[in-house]
């Protein structure tokens, strides 16, 4: 075990960093590059629109508004992208326009600064019985990876569980 002591320029750097983090965040959902900007800036791969496809691909270009003060893509934005890209897969897998996110678990592997490729993969959701009839489950699990476009390195991975919404009359 080695003790790390900050003195001199390291201590000043750390204090300036903490001061920056303590200021008003740069992410504002009401700005064009805020939450609405995240959804509108997603660039989907049109080849994924086939009903038989169990993956969804998209790209997102990161701007300053989507970053924490030190310039790395905000973790909350990771989750928003994962939710938005996996929702169409969940609707397709559960055969319903009314789905809701039950849980999301995100593992952060490294930072991103320019853009990310998003790959969502359906892990379960439909089953085929012995008569070759496809039945729809009430819940589905989707894995989403955010990757660096230039290297394919995984920036973060999420496991999302979606559930079909039912009405009380059913």
């Amino acid at each position: 075990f080695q003790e790390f002591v900050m003195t001199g320029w390291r201590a000043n750097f750390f204090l300036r960093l903490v001061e920056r983090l303590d200021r008003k965040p740069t992410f504002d959902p009401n700005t064009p590059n805020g939450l609405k900007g995240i959804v509108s800036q997603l660039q989907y791969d049109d080849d994924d629109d086939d009903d038989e496809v169990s993956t969804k691909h998209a790209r997102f270009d990161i701007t300053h508004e989507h970053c924490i003060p030190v310039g790395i893509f905000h973790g909350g934005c990771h989750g928003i992208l994962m939710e938005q890209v996996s929702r169409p897969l969940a609707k397709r897998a559960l055969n319903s326009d009314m789905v809701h996110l039950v849980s999301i678990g995100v593992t952060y592997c490294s930072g991103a600064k320019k853009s990310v490729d998003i790959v969502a993969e359906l892990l379960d959701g439909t089953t085929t019985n012995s008569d070759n009839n496809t039945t729809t489950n009430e819940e589905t699990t989707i894995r989403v990876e955010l990757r660096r476009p230039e290297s394919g390195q995984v920036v973060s991975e999420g496991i999302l569980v979606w559930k079909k919404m039912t009405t009380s009359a059913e």
Side-chain angles (χ1 to χ4, degrees):
F1 178 73
Q2 182 179 6
E3 186 176 333
F4 179 71
V5 178
M6 284 192 293
T7 60
W9 70 269
R10 287 184 185 93
N12 287 331
F13 173 79
F14 179 75
L15 291 174
R16 283 195 315 272
L17 176 65
V18 170
E19 286 173 359
R20 286 185 71 195
L21 294 173
D22 199 29
R23 292 183 192 149
K24 182 181 176 188
T26 58
F27 181 78
D28 180 359
N30 298 315
T31 64
N33 289 329
L35 178 58
K36 293 176 185 172
I38 288 177
V39 175
S40 66
Q41 288 177 337
L42 270 171
Q43 304 159 22
Y44 287 98
D45 186 345
D46 292 335
D47 295 338
D48 294 341
D49 292 334
D50 184 5
D51 285 342
E52 300 300 316
V53 176
S54 62
T55 59
K56 191 86 175 155
H57 297 83
R59 173 162 289 181
F60 182 77
D61 294 323
I62 300 167
T63 65
H64 173 73
E65 289 82 7
H66 304 121
C67 295
I68 62 174
V70 293
I72 298 173
F73 193 40
H74 190 285
C77 293
H78 288 246
I80 292 169
L81 292 176
M82 290 176 180
E83 179 182 355
Q84 290 299 315
V85 174
S86 66
R87 183 180 299 274
L89 279 180
K91 287 180 177 182
R92 189 178 311 143
L94 299 174
N95 196 26
S96 174
D97 286 333
M98 301 290 288
V99 298
H100 66 97
L101 185 61
V102 176
S103 70
I104 179 171
V106 180
T107 303
Y108 299 97
C109 304
S110 65
K113 293 184 177 185
K114 295 179 183 176
S115 63
V116 288
D117 285 339
I118 305 150
V119 180
E121 175 189 11
L122 183 65
L123 298 180
D124 63 24
T126 58
T127 55
T128 304
N129 61 23
S130 60
D131 298 329
N132 283 333
N133 294 324
T134 300
T135 58
T136 303
N137 293 332
E138 297 297 314
E139 188 175 277
T140 188
T141 304
I142 299 172
R143 177 178 48 231
V144 182
E145 291 181 343
L146 274 63
R147 301 176 183 164
R148 288 196 176 113
E150 63 278 359
S151 66
Q153 179 186 12
V154 175
V155 173
S156 62
E157 176 190 49
I159 302 295
L160 295 83
V161 178
W162 291 88
K163 201 168 196 177
K164 182 190 288 191
M165 293 177 69
T166 58
T167 62
S168 58
E170 289 181 11

